[in-house]
């Protein structure tokens, strides 16, 4: 993800704020559809796909990341088909209940919003994103939390991988773990990550990072980045263009319109 | 005002869990000196180093950097004067690329972009790692990581370099390069280590630390040649001093 964030493409060169605002509008619009809507959501895939394509981000990589989060969406949507059995639509001999329709809608929205958020991070880089948020007057505490969450995720994963390896080496084959061992493992992981996080923080502090405001160095927890971008007309065009598209796609069902056009042309 | 002076006076430190780690340490290191802090594991070396840039606050006694005592008010300038190279470079390198990592300190100091660029480039050149500037730090070898970690500190142009086990995890070639690199620095150097051959080559003075106290202090060759002293504090007489003619 870090390496993708450093690519130099037209999308990467856009100001972080423009991308954040557009993505927020995107998420709000996607969420505003009624719960049985499926087809009208389809045109919205254009936004994440355009970001990824112009940003030269591999689709497969982002797709795998999305799959990690799928269980959460499944849990939210899985009872809909059971509870809501009223038939709403039918395709040929198949009748589709409202539950399945709303389930499909939830999954679609999940894919849309998560892919847009991931595309945003991949096309901006977490540090530029943090700096952008800060300039949008997001309280510094939240921005610093976000950056540390991101940074320490790798730290914890690293510790975890090392512990699993040493455990596997001593556990004689792929026997399943006893619960007690798991408990101790998780506890150790927590303590070790704490220690490591502490050392990383120490290294940051000794290079002038400080979260206490008003220090003489000016390094008061501010996230500083090298290539600070400024708002240009392309950024305005980016926000304006996409917002216009979202508005059109929200008001008219573009997928249906396209379908009618193709069908009309064919007959 | 010169920052090159480091003085520790009657330093005591007790961890919150009640472990007494430092029990009255005093020493004075002057401009341009290269001093080794040796001692067995758990002697208190790392804890002592953490006092030198104000990360830990002494329970009793004081640390003086330059002419001023290290207090909450002076901690910012002290951290700029004292560059810390930590034991594990993985703790020190946390940015997405080598360049950004080296730029982290100068950025926090609020320097203008062209000055930052200049500092990063010259720090990386100094340690011979310019070709790695766009690589992610976690993909480097141990020797490269160590060199980049040193560059991150050099970019802040410190007056004093403090290092914790700099030669740990390095292969002989990496270790040799590190010795040559450190020998070329004019900074005041404080090196905590139990690699005594490393000390023989780099440091003119040695402070032996054991059980939170300074046990001995003096010229490197004289002290490290004292077999009884070395053994008593979990160390040993370096091979190179045992045989004065190479074999």
């Amino acid at each position: 993800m870090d390496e993708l964030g450093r690519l130099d493409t037209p999308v990467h060169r856009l100001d972080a704020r423009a991308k954040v605002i557009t993505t927020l509008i995107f998420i709000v619009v996607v969420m505003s559809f009624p719960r049985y809507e499926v087809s009208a959501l389809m045109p919205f895939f254009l936004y994440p796909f355009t970001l990824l394509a112009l940003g030269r981000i591999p689709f497969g990589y982002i797709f795998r990341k999305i799959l990690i989060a799928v269980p959460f969406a499944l849990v939210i949507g899985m009872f809909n088909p059971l509870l809501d059995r009223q038939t709403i639509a039918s395709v040929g001999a198949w009748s589709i209940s409202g539950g399945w329709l709303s389930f499909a809608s939830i999954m679609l929205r999940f894919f849309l919003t998560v892919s847009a958020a991931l595309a945003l991070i991949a096309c901006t880089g977490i540090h530029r994103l943090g700096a952008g948020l800060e300039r949008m007057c997001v309280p510094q505490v939240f921005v610093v939390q976000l950056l540390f969450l991101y940074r320490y995720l790798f730290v914890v994963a690293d510790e975890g991988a090392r512990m699993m390896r040493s455990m596997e080496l001593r556990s004689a084959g792929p026997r399943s773990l006893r619960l007690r061992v798991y408990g101790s493992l998780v506890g150790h992981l927590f303590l070790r990550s704490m220690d490591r996080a502490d050392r990383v923080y120490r290294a940051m502090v000794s290079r002038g990072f400080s979260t206490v405001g008003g220090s003489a160095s000016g390094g008061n927890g501010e996230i500083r980045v090298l290539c600070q971008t400024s708002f240009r007309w392309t950024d305005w065009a980016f926000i304006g263009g996409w917002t216009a598209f979202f508005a059109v796609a929200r008001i008219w069902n573009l997928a249906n319109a396209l379908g009618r056009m193709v069908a009309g042309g064919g007959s | 005002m010169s920052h090159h002076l480091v003085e520790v006076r009657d330093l005591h430190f007790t961890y919150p869990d009640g472990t007494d780690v430092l029990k009255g340490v005093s020493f004075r290191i002057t401009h341009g000196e290269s001093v080794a802090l040796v001692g067995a594991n758990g002697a208190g070396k790392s804890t002592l180093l953490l006092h030198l840039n104000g990360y830990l606050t002494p329970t009793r006694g004081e640390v003086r950097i330059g002419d001023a005592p290290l207090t909450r008010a002076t901690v910012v300038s002290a951290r700029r004067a004292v560059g810390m190279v930590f034991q594990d470079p993985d703790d020190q390198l946390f940015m997405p690329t080598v360049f950004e990592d080296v730029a982290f300190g100068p950025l926090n100091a609020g320097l203008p972009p062209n000055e930052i660029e200049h500092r990063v480039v010259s720090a990386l050149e100094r340690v011979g790692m310019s070709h790695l500037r766009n690589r992610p730090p976690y993909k480097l070898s141990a020797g490269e990581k160590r060199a980049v970690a040193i560059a991150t500190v050099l970019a802040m142009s410190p007056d004093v370099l403090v290092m914790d086990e700099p030669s740990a995890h390095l292969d002989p070639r990496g270790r040799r390069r590190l010795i040559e690199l450190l020998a070329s620095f004019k900074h005041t150097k404080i090196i905590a280590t139990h690699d005594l051959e490393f000390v023989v080559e780099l440091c003119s003075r040695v402070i032996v630390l054991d059980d939170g106290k300074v046990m001995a202090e003096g010229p490197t060759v004289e002290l490290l040649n004292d077999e009884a002293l070395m053994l008593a504090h979990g160390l040993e007489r370096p091979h190179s001093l045992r045989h004065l003619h190479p074999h």
Side-chain angles (χ1 to χ4, degrees), chain A residues 40-213:
Chain A
L41 285 170
M42 291 303 182
F44 283 89
F45 274 109
L46 193 64
Y47 175 64
F49 278 146
T50 312
L51 275 192
L52 293 178
L54 289 180
R56 288 207 300 271
I57 314 285
F59 286 101
Y61 177 77
I62 296 293
F63 188 69
R64 281 198 300 279
K65 296 262 171 206
I66 298 177
L67 287 186
I68 297 172
V70 160
F72 295 101
L74 278 180
V75 168
I76 293 170
M78 73 182 175
F79 290 110
N80 287 13
L82 301 175
L83 299 176
D84 185 357
R85 290 166 180 275
Q86 200 184 1
T87 303
I88 287 205
S90 54
V91 179
W94 297 72
S95 57
I96 299 171
S97 73
W100 279 112
L101 216 52
S102 62
F103 176 71
S105 183
I106 287 174
M107 292 312 287
L108 263 181
R109 285 169 215 231
F110 160 78
F111 269 99
L112 280 169
T113 49
V114 174
S115 63
L118 286 174
L120 171 69
I121 299 173
C123 294
T124 314
I126 193 79
H127 267 82
R128 266 190 279 177
L129 190 63
L133 287 175
E134 194 166 81
R135 287 204 292 171
M136 285 164 70
C137 300
V138 174
Q140 199 189 64
V141 181
F142 293 123
V143 179
V144 173
Q145 288 291 331
L146 180 75
L147 291 182
F148 275 130
L149 182 71
Y150 184 80
R151 187 55 55 209
Y152 285 156
L153 214 58
F154 295 100
V155 172
V156 176
D158 210 36
E159 290 287 347
R162 254 181 280 174
M163 284 181 66
M164 287 307 281
R165 191 172 52 206
S166 68
M167 195 210 59
E168 273 163 23
L169 284 173
R170 286 188 291 155
S171 64
R175 226 178 309 156
S176 68
L177 279 179
R178 281 197 308 266
L179 202 61
R180 211 167 58 84
V181 180
Y182 244 123
S184 147
L185 208 69
V186 170
H188 265 279
L189 179 61
F190 176 71
L191 292 175
R192 285 168 61 155
S193 327
M194 286 272 288
D195 276 353
R196 197 176 174 87
D198 198 40
R199 292 199 302 270
V200 173
Y201 177 68
R202 207 182 279 164
M204 292 176 75
V205 165
S206 50
R207 282 197 275 153
F209 182 86
S210 137
T211 42
V212 189

Side-chain angles (χ1 to χ4, degrees), chain B residues 96-119:
Chain B
T97 62
V98 166
F99 187 90
E100 284 170 89
D101 225 312
V102 180
F104 183 84
L107 266 172
N108 279 325
L111 298 173
N114 49 357
E115 171 67 15
I116 292 174
E117 171 92 20
H118 169 73
R119 284 219 192 175

